[in-house]
Amino acid sequence: MKHCIYLFLGFILVFSACKRKDVQEMKTPLTVKNFWPSSGKAGTVVTISGTGFGSSAKENEVSFNGIAATVVDVKDTIMMVLAPEKASSGKVTISNDGKQVEAGSYTYQNLTMRAVNPLNGPAGTNLNIRGEGFSSLNTPAKVTVNGKEATITSVNDTLIVAAVPEAAGTGAVKVTVEDKEVSGPLFTFQHIAKLKPLKGGKGTTVTITGEGFSTVAADNSIAFNGKPGKVVSATATQIVVTTPDDVATGPLSLTINGQITTGPDFTVIPPPVLQTVTPLSSPAGEDITISGKNFSKEADENNVFFNGVKGTVKSATEEGLVVTIPAGAGTGNLKVWVNGQETAGPLFKEQNLGIAKLTPDNGLEGSEVTVTGVGFSNVLTDNMVTLNGLTIPVTGATEKELKLKMPAGISTGALEVRVGALQATGPVFKRAGVMTLVGGPGTTDLETPGSIVVDRGGTLFIVDGNRIKKVSATGVINHFVGSLSNTGGHVDGTGTSALLEAPTSMVIDKLDNIYIQDGNYKQTFIRKITPDGKVATLFSFSGRLGGGIGVDFSGVVYVSQQYQGVFRLESNATLTRIGNGYVTIPGGMAIDPSGRIYYAGGDYYTPYVGVTSPGGRDALLAGNSSETGFVDGQGGQVLMGSPIEVTYDPVTGNIIVIDNMLMAVRSITPGGLVTTITGAAGTRELFKMGYVNGTLNEALFRHMGGVCVDKSGTIYVSEKTNKAIRKIFMK
């Protein structure tokens, strides 16, 4: 029994010894990070930062060059002591529990630092440095933050105000006066270098990269244009935050200890919009193309899932993505996430049959179309192709390409291909192209058709010499106003009793009232024509001063004068100049619902389309004021020839322009993105002209005079040389 007791006691002794050893090993080692101030008089309060300090003042021994100092207070990482009397400049030493470390050197002198506020912030933060000995009659005081010199805005013997320099970084605040120097506390420099992403909506996860952040997430207050976000995690160089539900476009700000650091702007955009996905079926490893808007140009900010399986985004623009199909995609709906915002897409099938592209993707009866994809049969009859239920003849076939010829009765819709048991849905084929509504070379229905407008019912009105004719939707021509014999003059009246003199341009308002600018070299008239053909003069001015005219959605008329830009016609029959442009506008102007006025430059010397804001600011929308050419693209990268007239497309919100050097019809978004709709037989050749109907890529025009768009988006163009009204189908 005694033997067992001795063994038990021995076990306890051994366990206790091990426990004491573990406690000793777990004790935080004695270290010093920094102390401040590094100089001052006896009695100066010195703050020492570090670890491993004793829990009470008496457990810590601090000496200044061998002379004991009084410990005033001590916490886990901060100890405050008084610089002792009778000590001299030298090392500051700290001891406890048999261990000793040196903190650095302390200099006894009049220059000292008692407080610095604030101790964090961005460049430009004003530091209030309090102490003694800052004044000097010989050389001014100098302040550095982390070794970089700050700009002093105010100084006296006890206070310095200095601005934190750019890119200062985190480090000690130091003051130098003549040959004396004092080092103060650490200043934490805050800077926001990057936001990712820079665009998104509510709930978007944003990563903020920079420096000087608090590692305690709750200490970092993030706001998006004043709206607080939720901090998810934080390190000294990175904060992850989610945007609030009421996130607003504007600068991001970070607040720590009351100090605000401003970062880049965060832009709120809607969720992504998917317009087309091609192909809608294909084997794993192939690519699909997603077109639309509100994507991110940073590939890793777009995530595409095929039936829940993530694909690989190979390339990205704000208008489109190219994505590699993952293995195991199966059959299911696409989902696209852009910066935390989700949009559901169409059904996708992982299979060996798919349609990637139609060339061209538009046409009329007789058009030849090439279908590109995978999984087709080399045997013609094995490929069944339909469009809205109509069988499309296949004239040639390989495993990756089908040749089709469009039959009578085609309409706009998605092409379908069946090979055996597999079925694939392809891109939309548009019944689009160019046809002649009325006239043509050798006809006499029209003599010199110029400016053209369309009313709410689809009836066209065309300037033809000194008269205006109207054309029904089926191509029936009737006289509207002006002399039947084409006699010119200035007489108000109704129908044939009114006389017009060489109208240059014509626009129509939402009530179907027509406004024209006509006249001779002595006098120009602005005239209104009601739907029943009554002509009345609204205004006149001396000389033949430009041909531009426009009307906004509220019925206000705008005109141009030679080399003077745009003027508003007031209700009291006076003109008010709008903007500061000095261009002569040759034809109809377009005005969008926001009141922006668009106009064509008009000749080889002004090959561009301009815009005047409602506030009167003129700007170039697209084209180059000094160079002609045939280049689509954005803004000033675009090249035009001689744009002569523009009109507003109520379906797309774009501006349609006719260019007589290029013999082309082009579309311009409000942001200045230009695409060619038709003309020049699909080439980019200057002066490629003629008279050819067909697909958008086949059509040729000659000497266009006017353009308009009806409420369904169909475009009408008049041609003087071809004596025709051409109709451009867009769907």
Side-chain angles (χ1 to χ4, degrees):
M1 183 67 179
K2 289 181 180 180
H3 179 70
C4 292
I5 292 173
Y6 292 148
L7 286 174
F8 179 70
L9 291 174
F11 174 77
I12 291 176
L13 290 172
V14 171
F15 178 78
S16 299
C18 291
K19 187 173 182 181
R20 283 196 302 272
K21 183 179 179 182
D22 291 342
V23 170
Q24 290 173 353
E25 289 178 350
M26 291 173 59
K27 186 174 180 180
T28 304
L30 179 63
T31 61
V32 174
K33 293 183 179 178
N34 74 312
F35 78 99
W36 72 279
S38 60
S39 72
K41 300 176 181 178
T44 297
V45 177
V46 177
T47 301
I48 305 170
S49 300
T51 61
F53 301 148
S55 59
S56 63
K58 65 181 181 180
E59 294 180 27
N60 301 277
E61 296 178 3
V62 181
S63 64
F64 284 57
N65 203 20
I67 304 299
T70 301
V71 178
V72 178
D73 190 21
V74 64
K75 293 183 172 58
D76 290 341
T77 59
I78 298 292
M79 183 161 49
M80 302 177 73
V81 302
L82 298 177
E85 299 281 352
K86 301 179 181 180
S88 59
S89 299
K91 299 291 185 182
V92 177
T93 304
I94 303 166
S95 304
N96 73 24
D97 199 24
K99 297 179 180 179
Q100 179 177 296
V101 295
E102 289 185 356
S105 295
Y106 182 85
T107 302
Y108 277 82
Q109 60 184 19
N110 290 332
L111 181 62
T112 191
M113 198 183 299
R114 301 193 187 283
V116 178
N117 184 59
L119 286 176
N120 67 284
T125 299
N126 282 327
L127 298 179
N128 293 288
I129 306 169
R130 301 184 185 277
E132 294 178 18
F134 297 152
S135 296
S136 171
L137 297 176
N138 298 319
T139 58
K142 176 182 175 181
V143 175
T144 61
V145 178
N146 192 35
K148 296 180 176 63
E149 187 169 357
T151 300
I152 296 176
T153 57
S154 176
V155 61
N156 59 41
D157 195 61
T158 60
L159 174 65
I160 297 176
V161 180
V164 175
E166 293 288 340
T170 296
V173 178
K174 291 184 179 181
V175 176
T176 303
V177 180
E178 296 180 351
D179 59 345
K180 303 181 183 68
E181 182 180 270
V182 59
S183 181
L186 289 176
F187 177 84
T188 302
F189 181 76
Q190 291 166 204
H191 173 65
I192 298 174
K194 182 181 179 182
L195 302 185
K196 187 175 176 60
L198 283 167
K199 297 179 181 180
K202 67 177 183 178
T204 296
T205 299
V206 178
T207 299
I208 306 167
T209 304
E211 60 182 303
F213 307 151
S214 174
T215 56
V216 179
D219 291 345
N220 303 281
S221 178
I222 303 293
F224 295 83
N225 199 21
K227 308 293 185 180
K230 182 180 179 181
V231 177
V232 177
S233 63
T235 68
T237 58
Q238 191 176 88
I239 298 173
V240 178
V241 60
T242 57
T243 60
D245 289 347
D246 56 350
V247 61
T249 295
L252 178 139
S253 63
L254 162 67
T255 303
I256 301 175
N257 298 328
Q259 300 303 305
I260 300 175
T261 302
T262 302
D265 281 359
F266 180 83
T267 302
V268 176
I269 60 172
V273 175
L274 277 61
Q275 294 173 339
T276 61
V277 178
T278 55
L280 285 173
S281 61
S282 193
E286 296 290 329
D287 293 338
I288 69 165
T289 300
I290 304 173
S291 64
K293 56 184 179 180
N294 302 333
F295 303 127
S296 172
K297 60 184 179 181
E298 303 293 333
D300 63 344
E301 293 178 5
N302 307 277
N303 290 290
V304 180
F305 294 89
F306 297 73
N307 195 28
V309 183
K310 187 176 180 180
T312 301
V313 178
K314 291 177 61 176
S315 63
T317 67
E318 293 181 351
E319 292 79 34
L321 306 174
V322 176
V323 188
T324 301
I325 303 163
T331 298
N333 286 92
L334 284 175
K335 286 187 178 181
V336 179
W337 289 75
V338 180
N339 299 335
Q341 300 191 94
E342 177 187 353
T343 296
L347 185 73
F348 180 85
K349 298 178 183 178
E350 182 188 5
Q351 63 179 26
N352 290 327
L353 178 65
I355 307 170
K357 184 180 180 182
L358 307 181
T359 307
D361 65 355
N362 67 88
L364 303 171
E365 177 184 351
S367 297
E368 294 182 349
V369 176
T370 298
V371 183
T372 305
V374 293
F376 304 142
S377 173
N378 291 319
V379 180
L380 286 180
T381 55
D382 288 347
N383 304 283
M384 300 298 296
V385 181
T386 59
L387 177 62
N388 291 333
L390 179 68
T391 299
I392 309 298
V394 179
T395 59
T398 69
E399 291 182 356
K400 293 188 176 182
E401 193 172 89
L402 299 178
K403 299 288 187 180
L404 312 178
K405 187 167 185 178
M406 293 300 171
I410 62 167
S411 57
T412 297
L415 198 76
E416 291 189 1
V417 175
R418 289 184 179 273
V419 179
L422 298 180
Q423 180 270 342
T425 301
V428 170
F429 178 85
K430 298 182 289 291
R431 182 181 178 267
V434 179
M435 62 167 286
T436 298
L437 178 64
V438 66
T443 64
T444 58
D445 292 326
L446 300 169
E447 292 184 15
T448 56
S451 193
I452 182 171
V453 296
V454 60
D455 69 11
R456 291 173 292 176
T459 298
L460 295 167
F461 298 83
I462 302 99
V463 169
D464 191 17
N466 295 314
R467 60 204 165 187
I468 296 175
K469 296 179 179 179
K470 63 180 181 180
V471 179
S472 71
T474 58
V476 177
I477 297 180
N478 285 291
H479 190 84
F480 182 49
V481 297
S483 166
L484 288 171
S485 62
N486 205 19
T487 301
H490 178 255
V491 177
D492 289 345
T494 302
T496 57
S497 67
L499 292 182
L500 312 178
E501 189 164 10
T504 55
S505 55
M506 179 170 60
V507 291
I508 192 167
D509 68 15
K510 64 180 181 180
L511 299 178
D512 292 339
N513 296 301
I514 295 173
Y515 302 86
I516 66 171
Q517 186 174 149
D518 72 348
N520 51 44
Y521 286 98
K522 294 181 180 180
Q523 198 166 18
T524 298
F525 303 97
I526 306 300
R527 307 173 79 180
K528 177 180 178 180
I529 307 173
T530 61
D532 59 356
K534 184 178 180 180
V535 180
T537 299
L538 302 180
F539 183 79
S540 66
F541 44 85
S542 299
R544 186 67 160 174
L545 303 179
I549 190 168
V551 61
D552 66 18
F553 280 67
S554 61
V556 177
V557 176
Y558 295 80
V559 299
S560 71
Q561 293 192 27
Q562 192 173 30
Y563 305 124
Q564 295 297 311
V566 182
F567 291 77
R568 180 174 61 239
L569 178 59
E570 307 292 359
S571 58
N572 62 355
T574 60
L575 294 180
T576 300
R577 192 159 190 258
I578 305 297
N580 55 4
Y582 292 94
V583 66
T584 299
I585 300 169
M589 299 182 286
I591 305 176
D592 69 15
S594 70
R596 298 201 333 157
I597 304 169
Y598 303 86
Y599 54 85
D603 57 33
Y604 311 123
Y605 304 103
T606 53
Y608 65 88
V609 171
V611 58
T612 301
S613 70
R617 181 184 176 188
D618 288 279
L620 185 146
L621 179 68
N624 187 309
S625 61
S626 61
E627 184 179 359
T628 59
F630 199 158
V631 177
D632 288 348
Q634 182 71 44
Q637 301 172 350
V638 172
L639 292 182
M640 295 184 170
S642 56
I644 61 168
E645 187 165 276
V646 298
T647 191
Y648 178 72
D649 183 347
V651 175
T652 64
N654 295 336
I655 303 303
I656 307 301
V657 58
I658 51 176
D659 190 323
N660 256 345
M661 179 189 284
L662 312 185
M663 306 299 167
V665 182
R666 305 172 86 178
S667 173
I668 311 176
T669 68
L673 180 64
V674 176
T675 55
T676 296
I677 296 172
T678 187
T683 71
R684 290 295 183 266
E685 297 179 27
L686 302 182
F687 300 110
K688 187 174 181 61
M689 63 187 77
Y691 177 72
V692 174
N693 290 318
T695 68
L696 297 178
N697 286 335
E698 293 172 339
L700 288 175
F701 301 85
R702 185 191 297 270
H703 196 185
M704 294 180 283
V707 61
C708 65
V709 184
D710 68 18
K711 63 184 180 181
S712 67
T714 299
I715 301 171
Y716 298 88
V717 173
S718 65
E719 296 175 280
K720 293 184 177 181
T721 303
N722 286 332
K723 298 183 178 183
I725 304 298
R726 310 284 288 281
K727 182 176 182 179
I728 304 172
F729 295 91
M730 295 302 294
K731 62 178 183 178

